[in-house]
Amino acid sequence: MIYADNAATTKLSKKAFISMQKYLLDNYGNPSQLYSFGQESKKAIEKSRETIAKIINCETEEIFFTSGGTESDNWVIKQFDDGVLTSKIEHHAILNSCKKIKNVKYLDVNNNGLVQYKNTQVNGYPLMSVMFANNEIGTIQPIADLAKFAHKNGMKFHTDAVQAVGHIEIDVKKLDIDFLSASAHKFHGPKGIGFLYANKKCGLPAFINGGSQEMSKRAGTENVASIVAMATALEEINNNLAINARHLKKLESIVLDKLKAAKIDFINNSKIDHLPGLLSISIKGVSGEAILHHLDLMDICISSGSACDSKNKQISHVIKAIKVPAEYAKGTIRISFCANNTKKEAQIISEAIIKSTNLIYKKRQL
Ligand code: PLP
């Protein structure tokens, strides 16, 4: 099998898996218990918090463990129920959380997916929330500029960095971010675990009531093993950001060059500064879903949009927002490589896409 849908989820890193085993089989003590067996678990949690805080450059007490990106996003958005300024291309974790908010403005994006915010009426929005990098097309937003704009206009700034953490360098202090959401399964950690960074000056309210875990803000016995594995995975991938990025850019070029050489008529939706290895292309006159199923028969996993949206057969809100012409929009596919993918795999995927596209064209002529 060739797996190239890493923006949907990633394979657990071996190192992360080994690190978590101990806390499942041996050191399974409850971190809230005072005997040393419990305190071993507590120590492992705090060490993981330190590791993560160091990587994104914040204080340890500014990291809160959650069940993943969706929970972190919900935690932030729902505390600003008066008003949120966000974008049209956010993940549904943000868009559907915003349905509970009184006053929401969804900013447009340009054809490259960059949020258009400069001439916006900002009164009535205590929070601005714009994703770091988009999960469908990979566009990286100018986060420092957006945070500056938010602060200048009296707003707090949140970024859903689920696709960015572990893929590009992030320094929350330098970028002046108030809240940041992350999820382990996007960087070779386990599923169902993530974190929220909240600047201590912002006074994060509690989200889940119960025991005193997570500084009494997110109750419930901690998922110790997954927390440890998340920190291990993040540390591992973060040590290789530059090498990975170089490799991933090469894989992208292989696909683009092969499609061009085969004279496939497509639009590259990931042209500008984007997540390394994420390629969204819209092929003229085909169905992205048909290509996905054809590749599935060849044991190749790619996506026809965002995985979280696989039940929705409509053209995605992101592809609509960047105004991909109708004759191309339906033919959108997303290939998202990780560092484990090889050049050979990129070639096989490209050839499979070309074959599938040409088959669809040929059938149509019959
Ligand atoms: N935000 C973005 C940008 C995502 O891509 C995803 C998952 O695809 C999420 C949030 C949700 O994260 P999780 O699966 O950890 O709940």
Side-chain angles (χ1 to χ4, degrees):
M1 185 188 81
I2 299 177
Y3 184 78
D5 198 19
N6 290 279
T9 197
T10 56
K11 181 177 173 173
L12 182 65
S13 116
K14 262 217 178 93
K15 207 169 165 187
F17 177 62
I18 291 165
S19 75
M20 77 192 291
Q21 272 181 315
K22 183 174 153 192
Y23 295 95
L24 292 167
L25 298 174
D26 305 319
N27 284 75
Y28 53 84
N30 187 322
S32 298
Q33 293 304 335
L34 296 180
Y35 42 77
S36 43
F37 188 53
Q39 287 306 297
E40 280 297 313
S41 300
K42 178 85 184 148
K43 258 192 247 158
I45 293 175
E46 294 319 315
K47 191 163 170 271
S48 303
R49 205 186 303 279
E50 248 173 58
T51 303
I52 292 170
K54 209 163 153 196
I55 289 171
I56 66 162
N57 190 28
C58 68
E59 315 280 320
T60 48
E61 65 268 30
E62 292 177 319
I63 297 289
F64 298 86
F65 295 122
T66 65
S67 64
T70 301
E71 185 185 323
S72 301
D73 285 346
N74 270 260
W75 193 345
V76 177
I77 297 295
K78 288 176 182 169
Q79 59 174 299
F80 291 94
D81 54 358
D82 281 352
V84 176
L85 180 62
T86 186
S87 86
K88 286 188 176 164
I89 62 163
E90 298 299 309
H91 188 269
H92 283 110
I94 295 288
L95 296 177
N96 287 336
S97 296
C98 281
K99 286 185 181 162
K100 307 264 184 290
I101 308 299
K102 279 184 216 124
N103 191 18
V104 186
K105 188 178 214 158
Y106 301 91
L107 296 166
D108 284 323
V109 294
N110 68 12
N111 290 347
N112 289 320
L114 286 171
V115 173
Q116 305 299 289
Y117 61 97
K118 285 191 179 142
N119 299 314
T120 307
Q121 219 308 96
V122 292
N123 288 344
Y125 308 106
L127 179 75
M128 182 174 195
S129 177
V130 176
M131 69 202 318
F132 209 117
N134 184 267
N135 48 303
E136 292 190 39
I137 56 174
T139 306
I140 297 172
Q141 302 294 338
I143 293 298
D145 296 344
L146 287 161
K148 198 168 168 188
F149 172 82
H151 294 144
K152 204 174 105 198
N153 290 289
M155 295 179 275
K156 297 271 188 283
F157 183 73
H158 166 247
T159 186
D160 172 344
V162 165
Q163 293 289 341
V165 171
H167 299 276
I168 44 182
E169 212 176 302
I170 297 178
D171 179 327
V172 291
K173 294 290 177 229
K174 207 150 108 191
L175 295 168
D176 208 7
I177 294 167
D178 296 313
F179 303 101
L180 174 144
S181 307
S183 178
H185 74 101
K186 307 291 186 179
F187 52 79
H188 303 279
K191 292 170 184 59
I193 188 77
F195 66 87
L196 172 65
Y197 153 76
N199 185 319
K200 62 184 178 204
K201 288 187 207 137
C202 294
L204 181 74
F207 191 51
I208 298 180
N209 303 114
S212 61
Q213 294 92 351
E214 295 305 293
M215 297 156 260
S216 298
K217 291 184 193 290
R218 201 271 186 186
T221 303
E222 300 89 333
N223 188 347
V224 186
S226 292
I227 289 171
V228 169
M230 169 164 67
T232 308
L234 186 56
E235 195 170 35
E236 187 182 26
I237 201 165
N238 209 61
N239 286 335
N240 293 302
L241 288 185
I243 300 171
N244 289 351
R246 273 200 298 278
H247 174 64
L248 292 167
K249 290 278 170 205
K250 274 186 210 144
L251 301 188
E252 283 180 36
S253 303
I254 289 172
V255 177
L256 293 173
D257 292 349
K258 283 238 170 217
L259 295 189
K260 276 181 211 153
K263 301 209 164 26
I264 300 291
D265 186 352
F266 70 96
I267 295 172
N268 176 5
N269 302 316
S270 312
K271 286 185 292 289
I272 58 155
D273 193 17
H274 65 279
L275 287 170
L278 194 154
L279 209 50
S280 165
I281 57 172
S282 299
I283 304 173
K284 190 175 180 184
V286 300
S287 144
E289 215 187 309
I291 293 190
L292 178 154
H293 289 303
H294 192 199
L295 265 61
D296 187 24
L297 295 175
M298 301 181 224
D299 257 350
I300 298 172
C301 305
I302 60 158
S303 168
S304 64
S306 83
C308 315
D309 212 22
S310 60
K311 286 202 188 84
N312 188 351
K313 304 277 186 278
Q314 305 286 315
I315 290 161
S316 92
H317 64 291
V318 178
I319 296 303
K320 270 188 200 152
I322 62 168
K323 298 192 173 63
V324 174
E327 65 273 30
Y328 290 85
K330 253 185 78 183
T332 303
I333 52 172
R334 178 188 71 184
I335 304 157
S336 47
F337 291 115
C338 76
N340 302 331
N341 287 115
T342 63
K343 289 182 189 171
K344 181 85 194 145
E345 287 179 332
Q347 281 163 6
I348 294 171
I349 293 172
S350 317
E351 281 152 19
I353 295 169
I354 293 163
K355 191 172 167 190
S356 175
T357 304
N358 286 334
L359 260 176
I360 294 170
Y361 286 160
K362 210 167 162 187
K363 276 268 175 200
R364 197 161 301 145
Q365 282 165 5
L366 291 177

